[in-house]
Amino acid sequence: MTHPFLDLPPLSAERFAAIEDGVARLLDTRQDVLITQGEALLPLEGAIRAAAGPGTVALNVITGPYGQTFGNWLRDAGATVHDVSVPFHTAVTAEQIREAFAEHPEIDFVSLVHAEAATGNTNPVAEIGEAVREQGALFYLDAVASVGAEPVLPDAWGVDLCVIGAQKAMGGPAGVSAISVSERAWARMAANPHAPRRSYLSLLDWKERWIDAGRKALPHAPAQLEMLALQACLERIESAGLERVMARHRNAALASRAGAVALGGGLAPYVHEERDAAPVATTLRVPSGVVASELVARALRDDPALPLAAGGGALAKEMIRVNHYGPDATPGAVRASLAALGAALAEQGLSVDPVAARQAVENAWH
């Protein structure tokens, strides 16, 4: 039995390096780029454990659940951690970062999530990057959800460790991820005696065995199908144009937000200010007396493929996510999602206006 996914020739080091170069072009970076063989949690954790340890004083920004996770990893690595937490319906500001630096001038590491798909907010990384540069701290950024939906520019923003994944706005595979690493981040890792070595989490091993060796021989067999899917994903974005791909996501967010307000039924944007709303996903607060997870279950009854989900954990009672990323960043996906939510709200006796919602989506899509 033959299949196009089976019996493929081994992925060459040359092709692997070419895919890394494609990621570098996507990020407009001259930093080293490593494609890591696993979901983005691999380089996210690996980078923290490599660059932070006893003696590190970290500022960890919490605007959603991933920020909480990074703080836990930093503490586990032995770092002293100062958290800056903001309500999940908003974003952190550069002024809040500067205030934290003034209170703790010894901070030398900053961890931040760019866009929180789980809560629907996005943070002003360019402005925060200026504040971090003034402090001279190492800047670590989770751009897994934002890449492809909004600009991600490690060099321009002074990001030393920038992690991306392809499974959201890029419309690609979840089984591989990538990280760009600045020279001073490599130096911080090399000076850290607690950095993972001879470990799947080790970025330094990849650097020594792959980058420093001229990218001529792969250290181990790569995830072949995921790498090929990532290459196809990068080629599709390059062909369409990154600006056009980002515009689709921006329009999807504007249309979802406007359509939900016009729909009525008590739905309201979870992120209060439009400027703080992520283009990768729109979160909505349900009306009092309605359980978000139950409403989503009703909405998905006729079409389980709609990009709708309830919030995670405690947010499952109050929040709905419209995950308009990748192939779902389209007017049709937004219209269908709002129509399904409107029907589910109407079943509960709430007054909705699906015609107004459709018109709002049309008006908001530029």
Side-chain angles (χ1 to χ4, degrees):
M1 178 181 177
T2 60
H3 191 282
F5 292 161
L6 300 177
D7 303 319
L8 296 173
L11 195 72
S12 68
E14 182 181 16
R15 191 165 187 180
F16 193 104
I19 300 171
E20 287 183 332
D21 293 342
V23 174
R25 288 194 298 274
L26 177 70
L27 300 178
D28 194 21
T29 183
R30 300 182 67 180
Q31 297 178 5
D32 289 330
V33 169
L34 279 175
I35 295 178
T36 46
Q37 303 296 286
E39 201 269 341
L41 284 172
L42 171 65
L44 285 168
E45 182 175 0
I48 280 181
R49 295 193 182 278
T56 299
V57 181
L59 175 64
N60 180 54
V61 181
I62 301 175
T63 59
Y66 280 98
Q68 294 170 330
T69 297
F70 300 158
N72 292 337
W73 285 341
L74 285 162
R75 291 181 175 90
D76 190 53
T80 299
V81 182
H82 302 286
D83 290 322
V84 170
S85 300
V86 301
F88 290 177
H89 62 253
T90 186
V92 73
T93 66
E95 184 56 33
Q96 288 172 299
I97 301 301
R98 287 190 173 93
E99 289 172 1
F101 289 155
E103 188 174 352
H104 303 285
E106 69 277 17
I107 288 169
D108 61 4
F109 185 97
V110 175
S111 52
L112 175 71
V113 178
H114 187 181
E116 286 269 12
T119 50
N121 55 27
T122 192
N123 292 301
V125 182
E127 298 168 20
I128 291 169
E130 290 184 14
V132 176
R133 281 197 297 273
E134 293 166 7
Q135 177 74 4
L138 206 71
F139 193 8
Y140 162 102
L141 183 70
D142 171 357
V144 173
S146 56
V147 66
E150 54 188 310
V152 176
L153 300 168
D155 293 10
W157 297 343
V159 178
D160 297 287
L161 295 158
C162 182
V163 176
I164 68 166
Q167 69 269 31
K168 288 189 167 62
M170 291 175 66
V176 290
S177 46
I179 180 170
S180 66
V181 186
S182 72
E183 286 299 321
R184 68 183 198 138
W186 284 129
R188 177 79 70 96
M189 294 181 202
N192 180 10
H194 302 280
R197 301 306 304 264
R198 295 170 298 281
S199 161
Y200 206 62
L201 287 174
S202 177
L203 299 179
L204 285 172
D205 287 356
W206 265 98
K207 180 181 188 300
E208 291 178 0
R209 297 177 62 191
W210 173 243
I211 294 175
D212 293 349
R215 300 195 299 176
K216 299 298 185 183
L218 287 162
H220 58 69
Q224 170 112 321
L225 295 180
E226 287 81 0
M227 288 295 296
L228 296 176
L230 176 59
Q231 182 180 34
C233 169
L234 291 165
E235 290 172 349
R236 182 172 63 184
I237 292 173
E238 286 190 349
S239 176
L242 179 58
E243 288 297 329
R244 184 177 178 185
V245 174
M246 291 190 296
R248 281 198 298 110
H249 288 83
R250 191 162 54 247
N251 283 336
L254 292 171
S256 296
R257 192 175 180 93
V261 172
L263 179 65
L267 285 183
Y270 186 86
V271 177
H272 292 182
E273 299 295 333
E274 185 180 292
R275 67 173 182 272
D276 297 333
V280 72
T282 295
T283 47
L284 303 170
R285 190 181 299 275
V286 298
S288 177
V290 174
V291 177
S293 58
E294 295 175 359
L295 188 70
V296 168
R298 287 189 180 92
L300 294 176
R301 194 166 48 202
D302 294 332
D303 186 357
L306 289 173
L308 294 171
L315 295 175
K317 292 184 177 180
E318 62 183 79
M319 178 199 286
I320 292 170
R321 294 203 321 267
V322 184
N323 294 316
H324 45 67
Y325 52 72
D328 290 316
T330 65
V334 172
R335 284 195 300 265
S337 296
L338 293 173
L341 288 174
L345 287 165
E347 280 187 24
Q348 299 205 17
L350 296 166
S351 177
V352 294
D353 191 342
V355 174
R358 284 197 301 272
Q359 188 60 54
V361 169
E362 298 296 332
N363 293 342
W365 202 281
H366 302 297

